[in-house]
Amino acid sequence: MIPAGSSLRFIPRRSPPFLAALAISLAAMAVAICIRGLLAGWSTAFALSVTHFPAFVVATLFAGSRWGWASLFGALVGSLAARGGLPPEATTRAGVLLYALSGAVTVMVASTLREIVLRLDEAQAALDRSETRLQMAQKAGEVGLWDWDVATGQGRWSPTLYRILGLAPDTDASIRALLRSVHPDDREWVRQSNVAAIRSGKMAPIEYRILRPDGEVRWVLSRGEMLQNGAGKVVRAVGVNIDITERRHAFEKVRESDARFRALADSAPVLLWVSKTDGRREFVNQAYVDYLGASYEEALSFDWRERLHREDLSRILQEQIAGEASRKLFTLEARYMRADGAWRWIRSVSQPRYGPGGEFVGFIGIGVDVTDAKQAERDLMRINDLLAERVQAALAERDEAQARLHHAQKLEAVGQLTGGVAHDFNNLLTVIIGALDLIQRRPADEDRRERMIEAALGAARRGERLTHQLLAFSRRQALKPEPLRIDDLLAESEPLLRRAAGEAAAMVLAPGAPGAVAMLDQGQFDAAVMNLVVNARDATPAGGEIRIETAVCDLADGEVPDVAPGPYVRVTVRDNGVGMDAEVLARVFEPFFTTKDIGKGTGLGLSQVYGFARQSGGGVAIDAAPHAGASVSIYLPCTASLAADAEPPPAPADAPVRALDILLVEDDPAVGDMIAAMLSELGHRVARADGVDRALTLLGRRKRIDLMLTDLVMPGGRSGLDLARAATTARPGLPVVLSSGFTGEALAAVADAPWPLLRKPYSAEALARAIASALDPEIQAA
């Protein structure tokens, strides 16, 4: 037999190319011919000879069977051609036939041998590949093969088994060596397992630890088969040892994790469970078992419907069916009977769980006893109700206390205001009373009488201005805003402002807002700027400077407190005087607050500035520091442009040339006497009434009444406006003049009235103009 391994070295696995095969065949025949020539003589070199048969074998083995047949055919043809054809002798012909048959047999045998060798070669290669794959699988899977003789204890181990055991490849592969590698704690029962396998003829899989020479402990799984002889005696064992250390460690971790989970679940004071897809419990914790008062196995299959309160049963069943069908988190809350017979509220939350492949495998749930919480909730609701009642009472008490506080603050403010007003008005009344007293004492002294009258009138006008300042601060002064150019107004009042600034300090007017227009009351604006100039004068030492500047600015939100964002005209009065500290800045807008000596200031200047600015839709900002001067800026909203020039107002009409019958309605007798005297002085006849009822009675009795002059605020619940409406209804076309000393809200109803309003105090000339404006053109012409 030819060894398979040797064939691999000299027989090609594939047929060579054509030229190579031809060369091999020709070379083999050439060698055969040369051998024939050398041995039998060159004259017989091309004769048929047995030396050709090795050439046929070589050609067949190396080039393939077809080249063996080609060599045989070539040899026959060449030899016959050299003889000149087929020889006539029978024996020679028989020799040729025998040569051909022998050559054919040689070619067929060589061809068969080549096929066998090639197949053995393929089988060996397949075996080598299989062996390689087996070794790779053993190495990758940590699978070691073993085979041992039961009688001798000797065997064979695969390289992987040596590596698993941590032993050198030259270690004795015996059962004793294997047992020496087993961990001492497992060695005896492994030996007993082997003995039992020999006796029974079956080896059960076992897991045990091995101890490597380097001290490392590994886990192995041993599986094997016991082989018996014909007599049924175990003579041999074969099997595998698999390294399962990683799997064992993972198993230990899972077991440890499961133990921790169970310990944690059993220590939890809530009910925990894990259910399957059919709703049956797979796991419950100790609190679950204790609540039922049953064993663990009974708790797994317990039907909770037996413990549900009958009032909750129907609802919970519907909610549970819907929740489980949704396979989403759902919550149930109901009363369940505890093992001791007590009804407890349990709120359960069920969460769906999924397997490794994402498939639904059931629910995991938790149940919490919320009985105490629900009781606390009810108690809290009662407490909330009680607290709401008490809070309501406390709020009522707070509102009452706040009202008392506001009242006290009002009284304090009134006291402060009264003190300031009393001081100024007492000075004015001193002038008026003194002047009238002196006139009364010496009425014949005409010069003295004129001086006293002028002094009294001057004091009265100062009182009127003081009243206007107070109304401007409280924003109750009725302003007459109109679009005006700020720079033009300051240019017109510059001479007056320079006289107010005095000679000690220089005044500089620096207009910077040409064409800027604002809606404002000119008189109040002039008064505001004058107040700022006077304050700056009093705070500026000799040689100082007072500067009045204007500019157009676009305020951002919050840039100036209490002033809305938008375009403004800024009027700034700046001085380099003594300045103000923080305490003074905090109170500068308070009425009657002043840092000047007694008798040198009323404290209403900045109050009037503040009231005017706020009532005009703007605001005031002050920048000051001690000994660093002060800068007061008035911000007035910009207007797009001046209104179209209006027609100049008509000149005041003179008093009617004929006497009028006038109904005077005034509830204050002293005021009524004064107004009646003015009317008589103007040449009119006067009928008086002290209220609405009396006035309506006179209107019904007297046939001739040309005009009615009535106070706005009247006693008895009806006003002069009500009287005017009733009078014009009774006498259509009756001219009416309204009069009032009130301002603010008291005059709100007069805004839309068709009759003129004469504000108190007024002079006889103003009264005459009001009467003229109330008369229709026909009466006025008469």
Side-chain angles (χ1 to χ4, degrees):
M1 180 180 294
I2 299 176
S6 63
S7 69
L8 296 175
R9 291 189 294 270
F10 67 85
I11 296 179
R13 297 182 182 183
R14 295 180 181 180
S15 299
F18 175 81
L19 294 177
L22 179 62
I24 291 172
S25 299
L26 293 176
M29 287 303 297
V31 171
I33 291 172
C34 290
I35 293 174
R36 170 73 179 179
L38 290 174
L39 295 177
W42 292 104
S43 60
T44 62
F46 290 97
L48 297 177
S49 174
V50 294
T51 58
H52 296 166
F53 291 167
F56 300 158
V57 172
V58 170
T60 301
L61 290 178
F62 284 91
S65 61
R66 62 179 178 173
W67 290 103
W69 291 112
S71 299
L72 174 61
F73 182 75
L76 286 172
V77 172
S79 176
L80 292 177
R83 288 176 176 270
L86 187 66
E89 298 87 2
T91 55
T92 305
R93 290 184 177 183
V96 172
L97 180 59
L98 181 61
Y99 176 87
L101 291 175
S102 299
V105 170
T106 301
V107 171
M108 288 189 291
V109 170
S111 178
T112 302
L113 179 61
R114 185 178 189 276
E115 187 69 21
I116 291 173
V117 170
L118 290 178
R119 289 187 179 182
L120 287 175
D121 188 20
E122 292 177 358
Q124 183 64 39
L127 181 62
D128 292 344
R129 290 193 298 270
S130 177
E131 181 69 21
T132 302
R133 287 195 296 268
L134 179 60
Q135 291 180 2
M136 292 174 62
Q138 292 179 30
K139 184 177 180 181
E142 291 296 315
V143 178
L145 304 180
W146 51 263
D147 179 0
W148 56 277
D149 190 311
V150 174
T152 64
Q154 296 300 317
R156 291 191 307 167
W157 294 347
S158 68
T160 305
L161 183 56
Y162 280 104
R163 187 169 61 254
I164 291 173
L165 298 177
L167 299 176
D170 58 352
T171 304
D172 181 26
S174 65
I175 187 65
R176 297 179 183 84
L178 179 63
L179 286 174
R180 285 195 300 270
S181 296
V182 177
H183 195 281
D185 295 341
D186 299 342
R187 189 173 298 160
E188 179 59 26
W189 76 269
V190 170
R191 189 184 69 79
Q192 293 294 338
S193 297
N194 290 337
V195 172
I198 295 173
R199 289 176 180 174
S200 64
K202 294 182 179 180
M203 178 177 285
I206 58 174
E207 296 181 5
Y208 56 90
R209 293 167 292 175
I210 61 170
L211 183 62
R212 288 180 172 179
D214 60 1
E216 183 182 5
V217 177
R218 307 288 292 181
W219 279 90
V220 296
L221 167 64
S222 181
R223 292 178 179 272
E225 292 289 337
M226 308 303 292
L227 305 181
Q228 302 174 353
N229 58 14
K233 181 180 179 181
V234 176
V235 295
R236 188 179 174 197
V238 295
V240 296
N241 278 8
I242 304 173
D243 191 330
I244 59 170
T245 305
E246 302 301 328
R247 191 195 75 181
R248 189 78 185 195
H249 287 171
F251 173 77
E252 292 296 334
K253 290 181 179 179
V254 170
R255 187 168 64 178
E256 181 182 355
S257 176
D258 183 68
R260 284 199 304 267
F261 168 74
R262 288 182 176 273
L264 179 63
D266 287 339
S267 64
V270 295
L271 282 63
L272 296 174
W273 68 88
V274 177
S275 67
K276 303 177 183 178
T277 54
D278 59 359
R280 294 175 59 84
R281 301 294 188 258
E282 184 177 317
F283 165 82
V284 295
N285 70 336
Q286 190 60 41
Y288 191 104
V289 174
D290 294 341
Y291 195 94
L292 293 176
S295 66
Y296 184 83
E297 295 300 327
E298 291 173 341
L300 289 177
S301 58
F302 191 85
D303 188 353
W304 275 93
R305 289 177 293 184
E306 299 177 11
R307 297 290 184 90
L308 254 172
H309 197 285
R310 62 181 183 179
E311 295 179 2
D312 302 333
L313 179 59
S314 176
R315 172 180 59 84
I316 289 299
L317 291 179
Q318 293 178 3
E319 294 178 359
Q320 182 174 1
I321 292 173
E324 292 178 349
S326 70
R327 293 188 178 180
K328 296 180 181 179
L329 184 144
F330 65 94
T331 303
L332 303 175
E333 187 173 301
R335 288 162 289 183
Y336 297 86
M337 181 185 292
R338 201 166 53 188
D340 59 2
W343 289 100
R344 308 291 293 178
W345 281 93
I346 302 294
R347 180 183 293 131
S348 65
V349 180
S350 296
Q351 172 78 34
R353 61 190 185 97
Y354 300 91
E359 71 279 6
F360 173 74
V361 294
F363 284 91
I364 182 170
I366 179 172
V368 182
D369 189 332
V370 295
T371 307
D372 296 337
K374 292 185 76 67
Q375 182 61 42
E377 184 179 353
R378 289 192 292 268
D379 294 342
L380 182 60
M381 290 180 63
R382 289 196 295 270
I383 292 173
N384 284 340
D385 293 340
L386 180 60
L387 183 61
E389 295 177 0
R390 293 186 176 179
V391 167
Q392 191 65 29
L395 289 175
E397 293 178 3
R398 185 206 65 182
D399 292 342
E400 184 179 354
Q402 202 169 41
R404 289 196 298 268
L405 175 61
H406 289 167
H407 182 65
Q409 290 175 336
K410 288 180 180 179
L411 291 178
E412 180 182 357
V414 169
Q416 183 180 7
L417 185 62
T418 302
V421 172
H423 172 269
D424 288 342
F425 272 96
N426 282 336
N427 288 338
L428 299 176
L429 291 175
T430 298
V431 175
I432 295 171
I433 293 172
L436 294 177
D437 181 65
L438 291 175
I439 292 173
Q440 188 178 29
R441 289 175 181 272
R442 297 173 60 181
D445 191 340
E446 184 175 350
D447 293 337
R448 184 178 182 181
R449 184 175 68 245
E450 290 298 329
R451 290 197 308 272
M452 293 300 103
I453 290 174
E454 285 297 328
L457 287 175
R461 293 189 182 97
R462 288 196 300 275
E464 181 182 7
R465 286 196 298 272
L466 179 60
T467 303
H468 289 170
Q469 288 178 334
L470 289 172
L471 293 175
F473 169 74
S474 64
R475 287 187 285 175
R476 293 176 179 272
Q477 172 66 32
L479 302 184
K480 297 179 181 177
E482 54 183 329
L484 298 170
R485 290 189 178 90
I486 300 298
D487 286 358
D488 292 349
L489 293 181
L490 291 176
E492 292 176 5
S493 59
E494 181 179 3
L496 181 61
L497 294 174
R498 290 191 180 278
R499 285 196 298 271
E503 303 252 343
M507 194 197 85
V508 177
L509 180 61
V517 178
M519 288 292 294
L520 50 85
D521 182 293
Q522 181 176 356
Q524 290 296 314
F525 174 77
D526 293 340
V529 176
M530 180 66 71
N531 283 328
L532 295 180
V533 170
V534 170
N535 283 347
R537 179 201 63 192
D538 294 341
T540 304
E545 181 183 87
I546 301 172
R547 186 178 181 85
I548 304 175
E549 303 172 348
T550 62
V552 177
C553 60
D554 197 349
L555 294 183
D557 189 13
E559 185 175 350
V560 177
D562 301 325
V563 178
Y568 287 83
V569 181
R570 182 179 62 224
V571 181
T572 303
V573 177
R574 195 187 315 274
D575 66 70
N576 54 4
V578 296
M580 289 179 270
D581 57 22
E583 183 178 355
V584 173
L585 275 174
R587 300 185 61 191
V588 288
F589 295 129
E590 293 181 11
F592 301 108
F593 173 76
T594 179
T595 58
K596 300 176 183 178
D597 295 337
I598 296 176
K600 293 187 177 180
T602 63
L604 290 174
L606 286 177
S607 299
Q608 182 270 338
V609 173
Y610 179 81
F612 159 71
R614 294 295 293 162
Q615 197 169 4
S616 299
V620 182
I622 299 180
D623 182 14
H627 311 294
S631 174
V632 183
S633 298
I634 303 175
Y635 291 89
L636 300 171
C638 279
T639 301
S641 61
L642 286 172
D645 293 337
E647 292 292 333
D654 295 333
V657 295
R658 68 178 178 86
L660 301 176
D661 288 308
I662 296 177
L663 175 59
L664 173 63
V665 186
E666 175 60 60
D667 60 306
D668 189 317
V671 175
D673 292 343
M674 180 60 68
I675 297 173
M678 289 183 182
L679 291 173
S680 298
E681 183 69 22
L682 293 173
H684 304 298
R685 294 179 294 273
V686 181
R688 294 180 59 179
D690 58 0
V692 175
D693 294 337
R694 176 62 178 166
L696 292 175
T697 301
L698 290 176
L699 282 171
R701 289 180 181 177
R702 296 176 66 96
K703 293 182 179 181
R704 182 178 176 85
I705 293 182
D706 299 318
L707 181 141
M708 182 175 70
L709 173 61
T710 177
D711 191 19
L712 186 61
V713 179
M714 303 289 289
R718 288 189 290 178
S719 67
L721 191 60
D722 297 328
L723 172 60
R725 293 193 183 102
T728 53
T729 300
R731 293 193 178 191
L734 176 67
V736 176
V737 175
L738 301 176
S739 174
S740 178
F742 285 89
T743 59
E745 287 84 355
L747 301 181
V750 186
D752 299 328
W755 306 289
L757 174 65
L758 181 61
R759 298 178 183 276
K760 296 178 180 178
Y762 51 82
S763 63
E765 182 182 357
L767 177 59
R769 287 197 302 269
I771 293 174
S773 65
L775 294 174
D776 61 27
E778 296 180 0
I779 297 177
Q780 189 171 357

